[in-house]
Amino acid sequence: MRFSNECKNASGNRGSWRTISSHRLREVHLDKLLEGGLREGTVTELVGGSSSGKTQVCMQVAASVAYRCRAMVGFVDTCHSFSATRLSHMLGGLVGGRDAVQRRVGAADEIGDAMKSIMHYSIFDIFPMLSFLNQLHTTLSVQVQSMEEKVMRLLIVDCASSVISPILGGIPGHALMVSMGIILKKLALENHLAVLITNHTVGGEGGHPKPALGETWKAMPSVRLLLARDFSSNLCHATVMKHTSMVRH
Amino acid sequence: MEVEEWVMGHETAQNMLRRIGPRTTGLAPLVPALQRIVNLHGRHVVEVAGASGSAKSEFLLQGYDGWDGGVLWFDLDGHFDVLRLVRLLQAHIHQEARRRYEEGNEEEDEMEDGEQVLETCMERFFYTRCYSSLEFISALKSSRNHLLRAQTCGKGFRILVIDSIAAFYWLDRSAPFKGGAGNPSLSLQGAMQAVVRELKELRKLSQPTGLLVMASKCNIYSSNFSDTNDWASGLRKDNRQVDSAHEKDSRRSGLQQREFMPAVWQEFITHRLLLQSKVADGTETLFSAEWLRPALLNVDEFTINDTGFMLTNR
């Protein structure tokens, strides 16, 4: 994974924006699609129907960031879809190349290190989720960074819609949803994380699936990617919310 | 001879206009849709409404460029991209320099000048991020001092941008609604009243140039939403009253753009622009801009590229 520095010398403004590039995913160049990768300070949403590969993408991204960037990754799992075995396979692929014979000595240690830097949290309800996110924000804000320790760079919430959908309907539900959006954005901007969330789809007009959680949530993420699985390959569309440009692949 | 002095006055009207004229004339906007409203000046409040992804923040970014005054930017929804702003400014500066070079007025040492212009532009840009209505109101209060200090230096603020005003709508609405005077609660009404009060205060402080307020508003309700389980009956009454005034607006726009902001905000704004996005057959997305208030019949369509908005047809 590339860790490229994009420094902007605008006077009086924030200095560097770092982009975390994500791994090349089968035939899809996710890096190019996102114009450099997952960006710190933004919330990226992956939308897709069932079994369109959202969790696989999340795990692949987690593996890449943990291994290549030597950073901590927080993986919040709300639907029991996380599999440590699968993650270790992905890491094995990253560490030693596709050919198992070529795995060098110490690869197992590297895999172990990378696995240790991925923190897995199982949260199934909105209130524990909100308190966890707030606590994470407080912890990261007061953390004193030392050179040896790894710092958290990526937070994945898979799947965000499964904690929000049950409570939607009426004003308090919307307020909780907006609070979750605000705390995710706060984590991204104040604690310099790249936040990746997933969302499922519901039927829209004309039979085209649209992202769940409605109009208010639609405004929340900065970047939205639609994943659709074809038989043999993954088709990836990037839609709407990007700041700089609209891309259709 | 005091009476004589009093009659003669300190300066003639012509001198006075010459002195403060350039500061009060309309800001020449670069965005094509804004150009339709001539003489957009400091006492106006513009609201830019549209569904998500209809280029509203882009619009606000475009609005700030090359004006000789500062900009106060309040980011309420975390969608601010400083890189995009810098790129836009650079593109505009290059365009301007190229234009001047072609006219033969200036020499071609634009690189240094460009950097300096960029720096001066960025120096006039002040950015604040807020995560709740309380923070927003307190940020507005604390920018009073900032405004006064800047004015004494001679560089007053001319534009105040809010992106987006409806960011805390649901949070404020879910706060308990305690009615009655003398009990200012943090309900939606209370929060909006405080915001409008602060904005008016800031505007009063920046006389005589005035402060142009531009706010973006995301449409929270989708086109076929029906709010059947609304428990705040007081709020509903307000909505119904203003509905009749704005029904015309919403029907004209084609979609059911439901107006959900409280009456105090709706009365505060003087202009409203509606942005919509339509997906074109080709690779680009078309955005359309329509002035709802004052209601104009023309709809501008434009696309966005790296240098900014490009009109496709009038």
Side-chain angles (χ1 to χ4, degrees):
Chain A
M1 231 202 232
R2 256 182 315 118
F3 199 89
S4 61
N5 267 349
E6 245 181 306
C7 282
K8 244 326 157 189
N9 217 1
S11 66
N13 281 34
R14 276 83 57 78
S16 60
W17 290 80
R18 288 195 228 127
T19 54
I20 306 178
S21 308
S22 65
H23 188 62
R24 185 188 152 177
L25 219 56
R26 299 187 211 176
E27 295 93 34
V28 177
H29 292 264
L30 213 56
D31 278 355
K32 216 168 78 173
L33 200 63
L34 292 171
E35 290 187 10
L38 289 174
R39 207 164 141 195
E40 249 178 51
T42 59
V43 178
T44 309
E45 188 182 35
L46 278 179
V47 182
S50 327
S51 77
S52 55
K54 304 192 290 288
T55 311
Q56 299 299 312
V57 171
C58 288
M59 291 208 290
Q60 187 81 37
V61 169
S64 296
V65 173
Y67 176 63
R68 300 243 169 100
C69 302
R70 307 261 183 266
M72 299 268 286
V73 175
F75 197 108
V76 179
D77 184 17
T78 67
C79 40
H80 262 318
S81 49
F82 181 81
S83 150
T85 328
R86 179 89 184 99
L87 189 68
S88 66
H89 290 161
M90 289 178 178
L91 278 168
L94 282 174
V95 167
R98 293 183 189 277
D99 196 348
V101 175
Q102 291 177 349
R103 267 195 212 161
R104 53 186 194 281
V105 180
D109 287 338
E110 284 179 18
I111 297 179
D113 275 340
M115 292 281 276
K116 272 189 222 157
S117 44
I118 300 180
M119 316 286 292
H120 173 261
Y121 308 98
S122 285
I123 301 177
F124 304 109
D125 197 19
I126 183 75
F127 296 106
M129 171 74 81
L130 286 174
S131 76
F132 164 73
L133 291 174
N134 277 303
Q135 211 172 351
L136 183 67
H137 171 63
T138 323
T139 318
L140 290 177
S141 305
V142 303
Q143 205 176 44
V144 176
Q145 191 179 342
S146 64
M147 287 310 291
E148 305 87 30
E149 273 178 25
K150 292 187 195 175
V151 69
M152 186 177 278
R153 278 272 142 75
L154 172 67
L155 177 71
I156 301 178
V157 182
D158 177 36
C159 138
S161 48
S162 61
V163 291
I164 299 176
S165 320
I167 52 140
L168 271 189
I171 298 166
H174 275 86
L176 286 171
M177 177 172 75
V178 169
S179 317
M180 182 160 159
I182 289 180
I183 184 69
L184 283 172
K185 277 190 277 198
K186 212 194 269 198
L187 278 168
L189 290 165
E190 310 271 321
N191 301 116
H192 309 292
L193 297 181
V195 177
L196 178 65
I197 58 178
T198 57
N199 194 5
H200 62 277
T201 55
V202 291
E205 302 114 31
H208 294 294
K210 64 174 188 181
L213 302 180
E215 282 291 314
T216 318
W217 188 257
K218 214 170 150 196
M220 207 280 292
S222 321
V223 181
R224 172 178 277 131
L225 290 174
L226 178 67
L227 284 183
R229 184 182 278 254
D230 205 357
F231 292 108
S232 54
S233 65
N234 253 349
L235 288 177
C236 214
H237 298 259
T239 54
V240 192
M241 316 273 325
K242 194 92 192 252
H243 291 295
T244 48
S245 62
M246 285 221 14
V247 173
R248 281 219 156 220
H249 229 47
Chain B
M1 299 267 75
E2 291 165 10
V3 176
E4 234 181 67
E5 268 179 30
W6 180 77
V7 166
M8 292 310 293
H10 292 281
E11 58 180 349
T12 62
Q14 196 184 36
N15 282 342
M16 189 197 96
L17 279 176
R18 214 178 287 152
R19 180 169 58 90
I20 63 171
R23 285 194 273 153
T24 51
T25 47
L27 310 167
L30 291 156
V31 184
L34 274 182
Q35 280 166 357
R36 287 192 175 277
I37 303 284
V38 289
N39 213 19
L40 198 68
H41 63 73
R43 270 161 290 285
H44 286 165
V45 182
V46 182
E47 184 193 78
V48 179
S52 72
S54 55
K56 293 190 304 297
S57 302
E58 187 75 32
F59 195 85
L60 293 174
L61 266 182
Q62 294 280 334
Y64 164 69
D65 186 5
W67 286 332
D68 55 344
V71 172
L72 273 172
W73 187 289
F74 288 96
D75 187 10
L76 304 185
D77 63 354
H79 286 161
F80 179 70
D81 191 0
V82 69
L83 287 181
R84 177 77 182 131
L85 178 66
V86 170
R87 262 185 240 154
L88 274 176
L89 283 174
Q90 278 175 339
H92 277 292
I93 292 168
H94 280 295
Q95 254 179 8
E96 189 65 27
R98 214 180 312 132
R99 190 181 61 87
R100 285 203 202 143
Y101 178 67
E102 277 165 19
E103 285 172 10
N105 287 342
E106 297 207 352
E107 297 178 358
E108 205 187 340
D109 56 352
E110 42 187 271
M111 288 307 288
E112 293 174 11
D113 284 347
E115 280 298 313
Q116 217 162 1
V117 174
L118 184 67
E119 273 193 31
T120 18
C121 280
M122 295 307 279
E123 266 168 31
R124 291 191 223 125
F125 188 85
F126 291 91
Y127 171 79
T128 320
R129 215 188 290 140
C130 306
Y131 294 109
S132 73
S133 290
L134 264 183
E135 281 183 32
F136 181 41
I137 296 169
S138 53
L140 282 175
K141 276 195 203 279
S142 51
S143 16
R144 279 192 219 171
N145 271 343
H146 203 65
L147 203 87
L148 287 171
R149 233 182 308 134
Q151 267 184 337
T152 50
C153 296
K155 309 182 232 167
F157 286 104
R158 301 200 72 184
I159 319 172
L160 191 144
V161 176
I162 306 172
D163 178 27
S164 73
I165 190 77
F168 311 122
Y169 172 75
W170 288 111
L171 289 178
D172 292 334
R173 245 185 104 173
S174 73
F177 183 73
K178 295 187 214 113
N183 188 10
S185 62
L186 264 185
S187 64
L188 186 61
Q189 301 279 38
M192 271 299 134
Q193 272 167 1
V195 167
V196 168
R197 206 168 40 226
E198 292 304 319
L199 286 174
K200 283 188 182 157
E201 192 61 44
L202 284 174
R203 211 160 52 174
K204 222 188 317 177
L205 283 177
S206 47
Q207 295 294 344
T209 56
L211 191 69
L212 174 64
V213 177
M214 295 189 59
S216 77
K217 183 187 81 172
C218 190
N219 270 340
I220 294 186
Y221 295 104
S222 55
S223 40
N224 45 6
F225 185 97
S226 65
D227 199 359
T228 49
N229 46 5
D230 194 346
W231 58 272
S233 54
L235 193 60
R236 199 165 171 76
K237 194 157 54 109
D238 269 334
N239 268 341
R240 226 177 268 144
Q241 279 172 358
V242 297
D243 249 350
S244 50
H246 294 275
E247 244 175 51
K248 257 195 315 181
D249 289 346
S250 56
R251 251 190 252 130
R252 270 201 43 205
S253 67
L255 284 184
Q256 285 282 319
Q257 301 282 353
R258 215 175 139 229
E259 188 53 59
F260 53 87
M261 296 295 286
V264 62
W265 174 257
Q266 294 185 32
E267 282 156 19
F268 182 55
I269 60 176
T270 57
H271 292 71
R272 183 185 292 156
L273 177 68
L274 178 69
L275 294 180
Q276 287 171 17
S277 74
K278 302 182 213 175
V279 183
D281 292 327
T283 48
E284 291 187 332
T285 322
L286 270 184
F287 298 95
S288 73
E290 187 186 343
W291 282 103
L292 288 180
R293 185 171 156 191
L296 299 177
L297 291 173
N298 301 6
V299 177
D300 290 317
E301 292 192 357
F302 49 87
T303 57
I304 302 180
N305 62 5
D306 265 343
T307 55
F309 282 31
M310 270 177 29
L311 262 189
T312 54
N313 63 342
R314 283 195 171 270

